[in-house]
Amino acid sequence: QAMKWYGLAAKQGYAPAQHVLGERYAEGEGVEQDEAEAVKWYKLAAEQGEMVAQDRLGWMYAAGRGVEQDDVEAVKWYRLAAEQGYGWAQNSLGWMYAAGRGVEQDDAEAVKWYRLAAEQGHAEAQSSLVEMYTAGRGIE
């Protein structure tokens, strides 16, 4: 029943329901797992500015889940969510800059995004920031 109602809301363009459908298809909760279908729903929500869906869509592109792996597209979606202040996306964007995936490798830019996520309490970003400081990467 839940999927029926989410589907109705999502088809009317309701971004939170589209995001939930993306999650359900990605995880196979209440439906058969279908990562391509997950990408479809995440993208509809992400295009409306739903930052968690933008982050998840970035991950799907970075990992090549449900779509062909595309780091440039991953960075695009991570950046949209990161600029809205979403810590998970800020951490991921920092990692993309540190690794030079989808963007020119830039330690200072990586530190910037890691720091924003770390200040929100994101543990992985805090750890990555320590690693950058310890190695003297991106720190002036």
Side-chain angles (χ1 to χ4, degrees):
Q1 283 294 319
M3 290 303 293
K4 171 188 167 185
W5 294 110
Y6 277 131
L8 289 172
K11 288 175 185 170
Q12 292 183 62
Y14 186 58
Q18 292 168 335
H19 172 212
V20 168
L21 279 182
E23 287 179 345
R24 298 287 191 246
Y25 279 106
E27 302 299 325
E29 294 177 12
V31 293
E32 189 170 325
Q33 185 177 21
D34 183 339
E35 291 178 334
E37 189 71 8
V39 168
K40 174 185 123 178
W41 290 110
Y42 281 144
K43 190 167 190 178
L44 288 170
E47 288 171 343
Q48 293 185 66
E50 214 285 340
M51 68 184 176
V52 179
Q54 290 168 337
D55 175 66
R56 294 297 299 160
L57 188 56
W59 183 83
M60 298 295 273
Y61 275 104
R65 305 291 297 261
V67 290
E68 189 169 322
Q69 196 271 336
D70 183 338
D71 287 341
V72 172
E73 194 70 8
V75 166
K76 168 188 159 182
W77 293 109
Y78 282 146
R79 184 178 310 284
L80 287 170
E83 289 174 347
Q84 291 185 69
Y86 190 58
W88 286 91
Q90 291 168 337
N91 179 65
S92 295
L93 191 55
W95 188 85
M96 298 298 272
Y97 273 105
R101 286 189 53 184
V103 290
E104 189 74 30
Q105 197 277 335
D106 185 333
D107 288 341
E109 194 70 10
V111 166
K112 168 188 155 183
W113 292 108
Y114 283 148
R115 182 176 289 121
L116 287 169
E119 289 171 349
Q120 294 183 52
H122 192 285
E124 186 178 332
Q126 292 167 344
S127 178
S128 295
L129 195 55
V130 168
E131 291 174 17
M132 297 296 280
Y133 274 107
T134 302
R137 293 180 57 197
I139 312 301
E140 296 183 19

